[in-house]
Amino acid sequence: MASPSNLQCFPSSLFWLAQLYIMTGAISVTGSAALIQNQYRGVVGGNVTFYCPIDENSTLELMYIQRGNTFVNGYYKRKKITDPVWSNTRIDTKKGTMHMSSLNVSHQGEYQCHIMYSGNDLGHVTDMHLSVTGNYNKPALTKDCCDQSPPLSCLLTCVAHGGYPQAEVKWNVSQTHTLKAINNITRDNVTELVNTSSTARLNCSNGEMFISCSVGNLRSELLSVCKPKYTSDPPWPHVITIAVLAVGVMVVMVVMVVTLLWCKSKKCKKGENEDINEAEEGIRLNGNKKEET
């Protein structure tokens, strides 16, 4: 189907050809089927290659790609194109391709490939669409629970950075637990990438559980929440150790006191025996002296 073309769509070096197209009405635009066939998808930081349907048996007069009214890159057999080209693009006229690298969100949109062959005034325009996505990093899940044991509630935060398009946090929790979540989304003004986060308060009335969060196809690590701080196992091993040591010290002290008392008692008995022996010895000496007189 023929249709006129917008003059602004063509670079200045191809202005005369645009006039020719308008006068003859010789522009062939691919239909909706081509739009479906020419869907391109890329990832931020990655690459994509656009394919223009060139006839390898014909001599290419010109081939260029534009987005809206903006010239991207191209080739013109008769004259060097002076219009600025996108620095991240490269044209290959033999294969009829344009390679685009270092993709970012701003590169997505509608593109057109314009082709004309030598000796043929009929120009062809192929519509193409590029979608760009950004991969979020793995969601990070953190918790902040009450000091009670078991805790009454826990405050949960899930964060994922650097993705596109916008996506909200999904909490993976059983139906027996109730979550009240507040979502927040921020966008970088330069890269247009999105940071998404969610804060939720979990009631711990149903006891310990494991929870995770997801952003798109990415899931965080499982996190244990609402777990009592103190269990039936010995809560403080160091306290028990101190108690055992204290009992041991007390036992040693008791033994020392008993030993000391026992020693003192033995010493006293020994002293009394010595005094008795000395007295008896004195009596015997006095008796002997009287017999001698």
Side-chain angles (χ1 to χ4, degrees):
M1 177 178 177
S3 63
S5 177
N6 191 329
L7 285 176
Q8 300 180 57
C9 294
F10 293 87
S12 57
S13 57
L14 303 178
F15 179 74
W16 68 272
L17 186 59
Q19 289 179 313
L20 175 63
Y21 284 176
I22 292 173
M23 287 186 296
T24 61
I27 289 191
S28 174
V29 181
T30 56
S32 58
L35 286 174
I36 296 175
Q37 295 174 359
N38 292 286
Q39 297 286 329
Y40 295 90
R41 294 174 181 172
V43 179
V44 172
N47 308 316
V48 68
T49 300
F50 294 92
Y51 292 88
C52 297
I54 63 172
D55 182 0
E56 296 180 354
N57 297 322
S58 302
T59 302
L60 193 64
E61 182 72 19
L62 67 85
M63 184 189 86
Y64 71 93
I65 293 179
Q66 66 184 43
R67 187 181 71 171
N69 296 330
T70 303
F71 175 73
V72 178
N73 203 337
Y75 160 81
Y76 178 33
K77 180 180 178 181
R78 299 185 186 182
K79 187 176 179 181
K80 181 179 179 180
I81 296 177
T82 58
D83 295 76
V85 300
W86 289 13
S87 60
N88 66 326
T89 61
R90 185 180 71 254
I91 285 286
D92 186 339
T93 55
K94 293 183 179 180
K95 297 180 179 179
T97 62
M98 184 186 76
H99 183 73
M100 182 181 293
S101 60
S102 303
L103 292 176
N104 57 53
V105 175
S106 65
H107 290 140
Q108 68 180 351
E110 304 295 334
Y111 290 80
Q112 288 183 329
C113 178
H114 296 255
I115 298 173
M116 182 177 175
Y117 301 101
S118 298
N120 189 343
D121 293 337
L122 181 64
H124 300 273
V125 180
T126 302
D127 292 309
M128 301 174 290
H129 179 81
L130 173 63
S131 299
V132 178
T133 60
N135 295 326
Y136 287 91
N137 64 350
K138 185 176 181 178
L141 178 59
T142 58
K143 67 177 179 180
D144 183 14
C145 297
C146 301
D147 292 333
Q148 294 94 336
S149 181
L152 299 178
S153 65
C154 288
L155 188 65
L156 308 172
T157 302
C158 180
V159 181
H161 299 283
Y164 188 87
Q166 176 178 312
E168 291 189 349
V169 172
K170 177 184 176 183
W171 291 97
N172 306 309
V173 59
S174 63
Q175 295 181 355
T176 57
H177 292 73
T178 302
L179 274 180
K180 295 182 179 180
I182 298 177
N183 296 325
N184 182 47
I185 293 177
T186 59
R187 188 185 304 272
D188 188 288
N189 293 331
V190 177
T191 65
E192 299 185 42
L193 295 178
V194 176
N195 300 324
T196 182
S197 64
S198 181
T199 301
R201 184 169 295 278
L202 177 67
N203 190 322
C204 292
S205 58
N206 290 327
E208 181 186 8
M209 67 169 296
F210 291 89
I211 191 171
S212 66
C213 61
S214 303
V215 176
N217 296 325
L218 298 174
R219 182 187 291 256
S220 71
E221 298 291 343
L222 277 176
L223 186 66
S224 171
V225 294
C226 299
K227 181 179 180 180
K229 292 184 178 180
Y230 316 127
T231 63
S232 58
D233 298 328
W236 299 303
H238 61 281
V239 173
I240 296 176
T241 302
I242 293 173
V244 171
L245 291 176
V247 172
V249 171
M250 291 180 64
V251 170
V252 172
M253 291 180 65
V254 170
V255 172
M256 291 179 63
V257 170
V258 171
T259 303
L260 182 60
L261 293 175
W262 183 80
C263 290
K264 285 185 177 181
S265 175
K266 293 292 288 183
K267 185 176 181 181
C268 290
K269 290 181 179 180
K270 182 179 180 182
E272 291 176 356
N273 292 334
E274 290 177 351
D275 292 341
I276 293 172
N277 291 335
E278 290 177 357
E280 290 178 350
E281 185 67 27
I283 293 172
R284 285 197 294 271
L285 290 176
N286 290 335
N288 293 333
K289 286 181 180 181
K290 289 181 180 181
E291 289 177 358
E292 290 178 356
T293 58

